[in-house]
Amino acid sequence: MGGGRPPGREAPSAEAADESPTRVLLRLRTEPAVSAGWREAVAAAVGALQEGGLVAVPTDTVYGVACLAQDSRAVQSIYSLKGRNGTKPLAICLGDVEHIYRYCHVNVPDELLQDLLPGPVTLVLKRSEELNKDLNPFTSLVGVRIPNHPFIRELARACPGPLALTSANVSSQASTLTVSEFQDLWPQLSLVVDGGPIGDVQSPECRLGSTVVDLSVSGKFTIIRPGCALTSTVEILRQKYGLIPESS
């Protein structure tokens, strides 16, 4: 697997990536997640996360930064990275739909979840007692992401609990589609996984991020952020499941 570091540093091997404390950069090949290179990258990311580190990862929308959601110190590190005081919530990221039920109280059909996930949608649901109380302590809700991207799904499956996930940028700044666009954050990261450009870097639409929809009230939905999948999401919720829209 190809690897590189910030200019002037030697390229580490994938095997050594989880041993370095900061800014290891791993480049993924465009090969299936079953390949040895992908497995090594997943293992490096898991190692960094289990040590309390923050890892930058590609998703199906924009680049994200992840940590273990059940690790309170790591969660605080993400809040600091984003320049937040903790009042803007973090989403959790899971590998598969069936894991949602452990961390959320679900009041929509499982088929609805399967229709929207994996995909560029964040579903806001009532959180369960299983979720770390230091993650978004100001709200009884939590956003759930299952990105349609093989690397982050494999990473989520390999971790002992959910990932906390946010976009790889300082709050209020533009979302990022390449690792170089958030290079100023690298010193605060344990690992940067470079999956190449996500979408068209010249297109503002590609930086919209996921569509965020609140499904915590039975029979209704609220669009919190239009994002990149608004039309298809609303069509599924209204036409297939008969949910009623509410204004945010």
Side-chain angles (χ1 to χ4, degrees):
M1 184 178 74
R5 294 200 76 171
R9 297 176 181 269
E10 292 185 2
S13 68
E15 291 84 352
D18 60 342
E19 298 172 5
S20 179
T22 57
R23 297 202 306 284
V24 176
L25 174 64
L26 295 179
R27 292 194 178 99
L28 297 176
R29 294 174 181 167
T30 56
E31 55 192 28
V34 296
S35 73
W38 279 64
R39 287 196 299 269
E40 292 165 357
V42 169
V46 170
L49 291 167
Q50 289 180 331
E51 293 177 358
L54 307 184
V55 175
V57 290
T59 76
D60 54 352
T61 54
V62 297
Y63 270 89
V65 174
C67 75
L68 295 183
Q70 305 296 74
D71 183 336
S72 296
R73 292 183 66 179
V75 168
Q76 186 56 51
S77 294
I78 278 200
Y79 285 136
S80 298
L81 175 88
K82 296 289 287 186
R84 293 176 177 172
N85 58 10
T87 59
K88 191 172 182 181
L90 302 171
I92 61 170
C93 174
L94 301 167
D96 297 285
V97 167
E98 56 262 33
H99 299 144
I100 295 175
Y101 294 89
R102 179 174 179 181
Y103 302 102
C104 300
H105 298 294
V106 180
N107 58 353
V108 296
D110 186 73
E111 187 182 5
L112 186 156
L113 301 181
Q114 301 284 351
D115 280 343
L116 294 177
L117 301 172
V121 181
T122 300
L123 302 184
V124 177
L125 301 164
K126 292 182 180 179
R127 59 191 287 161
S128 77
E129 292 299 314
E130 286 282 329
L131 201 56
N132 180 8
K133 291 180 175 59
D134 291 328
L135 179 81
N136 311 333
F138 46 85
T139 177
S140 61
L141 307 177
V142 67
V144 180
R145 278 279 272 138
I146 302 179
N148 189 19
H149 190 286
F151 180 81
I152 193 169
R153 290 190 71 191
E154 285 300 315
L155 176 59
R157 289 170 180 145
C159 289
L163 301 175
L165 182 67
T166 187
S167 54
N169 60 291
V170 175
S171 288
S172 80
Q173 294 185 0
S175 299
T176 55
L177 301 178
T178 68
V179 296
S180 62
E181 291 180 346
F182 59 90
Q183 196 162 354
D184 56 331
L185 299 182
W186 286 10
Q188 300 176 67
L189 304 174
S190 297
L191 182 68
V192 177
V193 178
D194 184 356
I198 301 174
D200 181 0
V201 297
Q202 303 299 325
S203 170
E205 289 76 17
C206 287
R207 298 181 188 272
L208 292 176
S210 65
T211 294
V212 182
V213 55
D214 186 341
L215 297 177
S216 63
V217 178
S218 295
K220 300 179 180 180
F221 72 92
T222 302
I223 299 298
I224 297 175
R225 182 177 70 191
C228 63
L230 177 63
T231 301
S232 59
T233 300
V234 170
E235 181 176 344
I236 289 171
L237 295 176
R238 295 191 71 172
Q239 296 185 13
K240 185 170 182 179
Y241 294 98
L243 300 190
I244 301 170
E246 285 194 327
S247 58
S248 58

